[in-house]
């Protein structure tokens, strides 16, 4: 059985300003697998900033479409890649609106920062639903460790049902596209202003153009890297 986890994410082209910005903020380039050190917005030193980005650094700069999952026993990574390639061929690239720096609440755990569209994109929602449902036969059933790690007691009834059925509580009706930038942090107003300023200075065009689905794979060290990008429309 393949012990690694796979995920389907939106990931900007590795040569784009958006990808360079996101990789610098989280501290790692998931396309090359290389560390990106030295990001230090005004008022923060680089070490302090890295302490605030440990979680997004592990996953790489991305927006979740289908959350990390183990492969089902009868599935193979080659079959998963082929199915994702076929699914991507059925869509055309599309614009999903400009990205902005947003604060997303985590209840008692605080809040984290992400890039989000200011309004939901119906096209992204349709794409997410198609991927979540269409690739679920490749996902191994949840085990008890995965259930405990998610802590279902902190989820709504609908999120618990979605988690059990699809392996991720924030899919389908609770899906909200976001490119995570930080862990849950304090001093949110100061960080929001700093990230917004850095984003505006480093990314001239904030428009999110969805041109591919990216298959990420988790390496033995726990970090996710891009295995392959599948262009929409083939």
């Amino acid at each position: 059985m393949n012990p690694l986890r796979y995920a389907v994410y939106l990931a900007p082209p590795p040569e784009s300003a958006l990808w360079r910005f996101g990789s610098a903020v989280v501290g790692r380039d998931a396309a090359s697998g290389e560390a990106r050190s030295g990001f230090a917005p005004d008022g923060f030193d680089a070490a302090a900033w890295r302490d605030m980005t440990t979680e997004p650094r592990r996953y790489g700069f991305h927006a979740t479409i289908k959350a990390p999952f183990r492969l089902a026993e009868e599935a193979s990574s080659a079959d998963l890649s082929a199915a994702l390639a076929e699914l991507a061929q059925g869509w055309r690239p599309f614009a999903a609106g400009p990205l902005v720096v947003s604060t997303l609440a985590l209840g008692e755990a605080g809040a984290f920062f992400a890039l989000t569209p200011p309004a939901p994109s119906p096209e992204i929602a349709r794409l997410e639903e198609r991927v979540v449902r269409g690739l679920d036969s490749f996902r191994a059933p949840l085990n008890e460790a995965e259930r405990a790690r998610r802590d279902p007691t902190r989820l709504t009834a609908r999120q618990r049902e979605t988690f059990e059925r699809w392996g991720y509580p924030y899919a389908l009706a609770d899906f909200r596209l976001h490119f995570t930038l930080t862990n849950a942090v304090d001093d949110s107003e100061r960080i929001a202003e700093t990230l917004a300023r850095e984003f505006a200075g480093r990314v001239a065009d904030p428009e999110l153009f969805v041109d591919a689905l990216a298959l990420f794979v988790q390496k033995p060290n726990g970090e996710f890297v891009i295995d392959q990008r599948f262009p929409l429309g083939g």
Side-chain angles (χ1 to χ4, degrees), residues 2-9 28-31 33 57-60 62 66-71 76-78 80-81 84 214-230:
N2 189 335
L4 302 181
R5 291 193 297 166
Y6 296 81
V8 180
Y9 293 152
R28 186 171 64 86
D29 187 319
R57 183 159 60 253
R58 183 158 65 99
Y59 292 95
H62 76 278
K66 189 166 183 66
F69 59 91
R70 293 173 295 107
L71 282 179
S76 71
S77 59
L80 173 61
S81 294
L84 184 54
L215 181 63
F216 278 55
V217 62
Q218 188 177 29
K219 295 301 185 181
N221 66 1
E223 294 180 342
F224 282 78
V225 296
I226 296 177
D227 183 71
Q228 192 171 349
R229 293 180 85 250
F230 297 92

Side-chain angles (χ1 to χ4, degrees), residues 34 45 49 65 93 103 116 121 166 209 224:
E34 297 174 351
D45 63 51
W49 185 262
I65 297 295
T103 308
T116 68
S121 163
W166 303 105
F209 188 70
F224 282 78

Side-chain angles (χ1 to χ4, degrees), residues 55-124:
E55 278 299 298
R57 183 159 60 253
R58 183 158 65 99
Y59 292 95
F61 184 61
H62 76 278
T64 298
I65 297 295
K66 189 166 183 66
F69 59 91
R70 293 173 295 107
L71 282 179
E73 286 190 13
E74 65 278 11
S76 71
S77 59
D79 290 340
L80 173 61
S81 294
L84 184 54
E86 182 179 1
L87 189 154
Q89 286 177 357
W91 293 79
R92 296 298 178 194
F94 61 93
L99 294 173
V100 297
V101 174
S102 299
T103 308
L104 302 182
L106 286 172
E108 296 178 357
F112 67 97
F113 288 91
L115 296 176
T116 68
S121 163
E123 188 73 3
I124 286 182

Side-chain angles (χ1 to χ4, degrees), residues 14 38 47 86 189 203 214:
E86 182 179 1
E189 183 175 345
V203 181

Side-chain angles (χ1 to χ4, degrees), residues 92-159:
R92 296 298 178 194
F94 61 93
L99 294 173
V100 297
V101 174
S102 299
T103 308
L104 302 182
L106 286 172
E108 296 178 357
F112 67 97
F113 288 91
L115 296 176
T116 68
S121 163
E123 188 73 3
I124 286 182
R126 287 192 291 269
L127 179 60
E128 185 262 355
E129 181 174 9
R130 178 69 181 86
V131 172
V132 167
R133 295 182 184 274
L135 298 182
D136 206 58
S137 61
F138 292 94
R139 182 179 62 84
L142 292 169
N143 58 35
E144 291 309 309
E146 289 165 336
R147 289 188 176 91
R149 187 162 56 244
R150 181 59 64 177
D151 189 5
T153 62
R154 303 181 69 170
L155 303 174
T156 67
R158 183 173 70 187
Q159 288 166 351

Side-chain angles (χ1 to χ4, degrees), residues 18-27 39 49-57 60-62 99-104 112-116 178-185 191-192 194-196 198-199:
L18 178 57
W19 178 260
R20 292 194 298 269
F21 169 79
S23 297
V25 172
V26 305
F39 183 82
W49 185 262
R50 282 184 68 81
D51 287 344
M52 291 191 286
T53 58
T54 54
E55 278 299 298
R57 183 159 60 253
F61 184 61
H62 76 278
L99 294 173
V100 297
V101 174
S102 299
T103 308
L104 302 182
F112 67 97
F113 288 91
L115 296 176
T116 68
H178 60 279
F179 291 84
T180 304
L181 298 174
T182 71
N183 305 339
V185 294
I191 294 173
T194 297
L195 283 175
E198 291 283 344
F199 181 55

